[in-house]
Amino acid sequence: MGLHTGDAVPVGHDYVGLDVHRAARICAAGHGGQILVSQATKEIIEHALPAGLGLRDLGVHRLKDLSKPEHLFQLLAPELPDAFPPLRTLEAIPNNLPIQLTSFVGREHELAQARRLLDRTRLLTLTGPGGTGKTRLAMQLAAEVVDQFPDGVYFVPLAPISDPGLVASIIAQSLEVRESGSRPILDRLQEYLNGKRLLLVLDNFEQVIAATPVVGGLLKTSTRLKVIVTTRIPLHLYGEQELPVPPLRRPDPRPPPDLESLSQYEAVTLFIQRALAVKPDFTITNENAPAVAEIAWRLEGLPLAIELAAARVKLFPPQAMLARLQRRLSFLSGGPRDLPARQHTLRAAIAWAIDQADSEAGLRLGASLWRFWQMRGHLHEARERLGRLLALPGAASVPQAYAKALEAAGGIAYWQGDMEAARRFYEELLALRRQLGNPPNVAAALYDLSFVFIVPQTEVERGRSLLEESLAIYERAGIAKVHWAMASVTYTAADYPASSRHLAISIPIFRSQDDRFSLGWALHSLGLVASKTGDYPAARAAFDEAMGLFAEARDVSGIALLLLDFSGLVLLEGEPERAARLAGGAAALQKSGGVDLAAILDATEGPWQVGGKLDRQALAAAIEEGRAMSTDEIVAYALGRPPAR
């Protein structure tokens, strides 16, 4: 039993806080029949113990939560055993595991899985992009298994170096192995480790990946050595066991989870604990719980992002923080100064997954981010970064990651309205995916390429042919996308009944899959068809729902195009001045976000002729009024509602 006194935050029927974890770690240090008491509890009870009870001073110990040392006492009672083995703390084994100023949250499943894998492998590699918590998981794993390595557990931080030739020396320094004359340090390391049952934790190995042979050599000559590596890419050594580190579990904010269930989610628990560190009176209430849940959801359970957000709680309540998170990535900045620079902001972490010339990790990260860049209106930044990633040495030697980056680059060029560049990217992508031979990926590449012919209406029949080939390959999810694209093809040919039939297939599938992005664009197409056939109420209903989806996602590109949809509709309904304001708002978003695709669609479609309805001065004034509106204001104006305050 472990007794500790401190603060905790009630969340439903559970408690969350650093002291809750501290009590559990104190308990874990003891043995069956032993009652351990912390310094905080001892100070409260020592003068009020019943007769016959006492406390034995066991000294100061480092617990396996890697936090600051704890002064422990043993409760003495006539009915309890008196003698026990040494406490199960970090002092029992030589180690240099660094003290952590924050607690280890959640990860019970990943920690248990990592322990099982480490039992049967000598090289365990924890992989994942920056900010997923690989380092913290590796250190906690090392602390949990310290008893298995009588010759020591040693943490080797590689973040400060980028020269692979220094890796052996850094390991030697951590082990306090001194260089001897002209003898290579690797030889000295192998000699020192020979026969020792020891664990090394090599942190941030991706930037010195060329030093992989050093690790392989140590494992080959030191047969009782085990190694845990954190890296963004695996080492590809014989016998390596890779374990991808996933994000923390997070609640789905739709519908908002009840207060009682929030503590089940690691991402929420992390947010609460880090918020308490900067604002000790922070509490979870029925009012702020939905915002906390959505913050965890929007940050995708990434520990680094959640910690950066929670640090702002002393300035913003969760509801205000959520509104700011929806607008800009730069809100997540200013991490602790003792962390590496790449962890001060998420943007720095991205610029780093380029400066290190890490082809595979960079390509995968860029491919994963492209839709964020597109939706938030960062197309110029995306084009520049993806171009640098595709030009990295060795980029083409990792074909799967290279293909994903080509797809991303094609998508960004498409949204910029640069159809020639999009065509080049997509044609290279299609050729590569045919070569790799995965049919669904080939179908997706055919689908992507079709749009550079359909949207500007340069070679619509060629686009239709590509879609038909794609449709013959695609699985159910892809079929919905192809039917939506075919609706666009038939719409350009003024075959509105056919377009409606394709949309009638795609929209229910998108709804059943909760694919809100694709649903928004299908509703955009449905509204256009309804406008052309004179069903203005149906067009408005479709545009209203689509705008709601895009506004909720803060999708700048989608909002810009929907504003043009609304502009055309209200002009048909006889409101030219309103149409001009909406067109002005669309133009402002196009310019700020680089969404030149909207201009192509507007020029091709030609749905409105405001100039013929208003004099020049009134037209210019209305457009400028629309340009001056904020995104929230112009969205509310399109929907006929007052802007949210």
Side-chain angles (χ1 to χ4, degrees):
M1 186 178 292
L3 301 180
H4 180 54
T5 304
D7 296 320
V9 175
V11 181
H13 299 299
D14 207 347
Y15 288 92
V16 173
L18 298 176
D19 290 306
V20 177
H21 288 270
R22 196 65 166 169
R25 290 298 177 179
I26 291 171
C27 178
H31 301 272
Q34 188 175 31
I35 299 178
L36 299 178
V37 178
S38 72
Q39 175 76 32
T41 303
K42 179 252 188 188
E43 291 174 356
I44 293 174
I45 68 170
E46 63 178 332
H47 300 300
L49 287 173
L53 300 185
L55 293 171
R56 174 180 294 159
D57 191 334
L58 299 181
V60 176
H61 295 267
R62 283 195 65 199
L63 304 177
K64 291 185 178 180
D65 59 1
L66 298 175
S67 58
K68 64 181 181 179
E70 182 72 59
H71 199 154
L72 297 178
F73 302 82
Q74 179 180 318
L75 183 66
L76 304 176
E79 299 85 359
L80 293 177
D82 182 75
F84 294 94
L87 295 181
R88 292 180 289 202
T89 58
L90 292 180
E91 282 80 10
I93 301 294
N95 73 88
N96 72 338
L97 294 175
I99 290 176
Q100 299 298 296
L101 300 180
T102 57
S103 62
F104 182 73
V105 176
R107 297 288 198 196
E108 288 86 0
H109 173 74
E110 291 84 357
L111 193 58
Q113 185 182 18
R115 289 192 68 164
R116 288 193 299 270
L117 293 174
L118 191 62
D119 283 342
R120 60 175 187 251
T121 188
R122 294 180 56 220
L123 174 59
L124 176 62
T125 303
L126 305 182
T127 60
T132 56
K134 302 184 296 296
T135 297
R136 192 67 178 87
L137 178 60
M139 287 196 290
Q140 190 60 45
L141 173 60
E144 297 279 348
V145 301
V146 70
D147 299 334
Q148 301 176 20
F149 299 92
D151 294 307
V153 172
Y154 293 92
F155 179 76
V156 183
L158 299 173
I161 67 169
S162 58
D163 182 357
L166 297 176
V167 169
S169 295
I170 296 296
I171 296 174
Q173 290 175 22
S174 299
L175 296 172
E176 297 185 355
V177 174
R178 305 192 190 287
E179 300 192 33
S180 176
S182 60
R183 192 175 181 194
I185 189 60
L186 186 57
D187 290 350
R188 290 279 294 122
L189 270 178
Q190 291 171 336
E191 179 182 57
Y192 174 82
L193 292 170
N194 187 34
K196 284 187 170 60
R197 193 168 183 180
L198 184 144
L199 176 66
L200 287 178
V201 181
L202 307 181
D203 187 44
N204 286 297
F205 203 84
E206 65 274 355
Q207 58 197 34
V208 289
I209 198 69
T212 294
V214 172
V215 180
L218 292 177
L219 288 168
K220 185 175 181 180
T221 58
S222 309
T223 57
R224 305 185 74 188
L225 171 70
K226 289 197 175 188
V227 179
I228 300 171
V229 175
T230 73
T231 176
R232 303 188 186 195
I233 53 175
L235 276 62
H236 298 301
L237 284 174
Y238 181 76
E240 177 183 31
Q241 173 65 60
E242 181 182 0
L243 177 61
V245 177
L248 296 173
R249 289 190 308 115
R250 55 185 175 142
D252 190 333
R254 302 180 190 86
D258 56 65
L259 198 59
E260 286 71 23
S261 65
L262 270 183
S263 62
Q264 302 174 15
Y265 297 98
E266 299 165 334
V268 172
T269 301
L270 178 64
F271 182 92
I272 295 171
Q273 293 205 9
R274 300 305 185 255
L276 284 170
V278 297
K279 189 174 174 29
D281 62 347
F282 177 77
T283 58
I284 287 288
T285 65
N286 287 321
E287 289 70 32
N288 66 18
V292 171
E294 187 155 358
I295 287 169
W297 174 263
R298 286 186 177 275
L299 297 180
E300 300 185 357
L302 289 174
L304 172 60
I306 291 169
E307 292 190 351
L308 292 172
R312 296 289 187 274
V313 82
K314 62 182 176 182
L315 301 176
F316 306 102
Q319 298 92 324
M321 187 184 301
L322 177 61
R324 286 164 171 79
L325 281 174
Q326 290 171 337
R327 290 184 175 91
R328 55 187 183 271
L329 184 63
S330 57
F331 179 74
L332 297 180
S333 63
R337 293 176 181 172
D338 56 345
L339 289 179
R342 67 178 184 278
Q343 293 185 15
H344 285 185
T345 68
L346 290 184
R347 185 164 279 127
I350 297 165
W352 184 80
I354 294 176
D355 294 341
Q356 297 299 317
D358 187 340
S359 300
E360 184 171 9
L363 291 168
R364 290 185 183 281
L365 188 55
S368 298
L369 282 167
W370 89 266
R371 187 63 82 181
F372 164 81
W373 279 322
Q374 175 251 310
M375 292 175 69
R376 292 296 190 272
H378 302 304
L379 295 174
H380 297 303
E381 176 187 352
R383 184 77 173 266
E384 189 271 337
R385 290 192 186 277
L386 285 166
R388 291 178 63 189
L389 287 167
L390 288 167
L392 284 174
S397 65
V398 281
Q400 296 290 359
Y402 188 72
K404 288 182 178 295
L406 282 173
E407 183 178 37
I412 292 297
Y414 168 80
W415 280 98
Q416 286 184 311
D418 187 349
M419 294 300 169
E420 185 56 39
R423 176 176 176 173
R424 290 196 302 271
F425 286 126
Y426 283 152
E427 285 180 341
E428 184 178 358
L429 170 67
L430 178 59
L432 179 56
R433 285 196 160 159
R434 287 192 193 279
Q435 179 183 339
L436 294 173
N438 183 286
N441 286 344
V442 173
L446 290 163
Y447 168 86
D448 289 336
L449 181 58
S450 71
F451 279 81
V452 304
F453 304 112
I454 295 169
V455 171
Q457 299 184 24
T458 52
E459 299 179 61
V460 175
E461 285 307 310
R462 183 173 179 186
R464 184 200 294 267
S465 175
L466 290 166
L467 287 173
E468 289 172 346
E469 185 180 354
S470 177
L471 190 61
I473 304 172
Y474 246 137
E475 298 170 352
R476 183 171 182 264
I479 285 174
K481 293 173 66 175
V482 175
H483 275 291
W484 168 67
M486 290 295 285
S488 300
V489 173
T490 50
Y491 174 79
T492 60
D495 188 350
Y496 305 128
S499 186
S500 296
R501 288 194 297 272
H502 286 296
L503 291 169
I505 295 172
S506 62
I507 288 176
I509 297 176
F510 292 144
R511 290 193 190 279
S512 69
Q513 296 170 340
D514 197 27
D515 184 351
R516 298 176 178 224
F517 179 85
S518 300
L519 176 60
W521 288 111
L523 289 167
H524 150 78
S525 299
L526 182 63
L528 290 178
V529 171
S531 295
K532 288 293 187 182
T533 55
D535 190 348
Y536 299 158
R540 177 165 293 280
F543 291 156
D544 279 356
E545 185 179 0
M547 181 63 89
L549 293 170
F550 290 139
E552 179 184 44
R554 306 300 298 180
D555 185 341
V556 173
S557 304
I559 292 171
L561 289 178
L562 257 294
L563 288 174
L564 289 178
D565 291 345
F566 275 104
S567 178
L569 178 60
V570 299
L571 184 68
L572 291 171
E573 293 174 330
E575 298 184 71
E577 192 169 338
R578 184 178 180 83
R581 290 193 188 97
L582 290 166
L589 286 178
Q590 291 172 41
K591 183 176 181 181
S592 64
V595 193
D596 288 337
L597 176 64
I600 291 178
L601 290 172
D602 182 37
T604 303
E605 183 62 26
W608 54 284
Q609 295 293 330
V610 177
K613 307 291 184 179
L614 293 174
D615 62 54
R616 182 177 299 178
Q617 186 174 357
L619 174 63
I623 289 176
E624 285 307 309
E625 288 173 10
R627 283 182 180 273
M629 291 185 187
S630 69
T631 302
D632 288 340
E633 288 171 338
I634 195 67
V635 167
Y637 185 71
L639 296 172
R641 305 171 187 165
R645 298 295 183 189

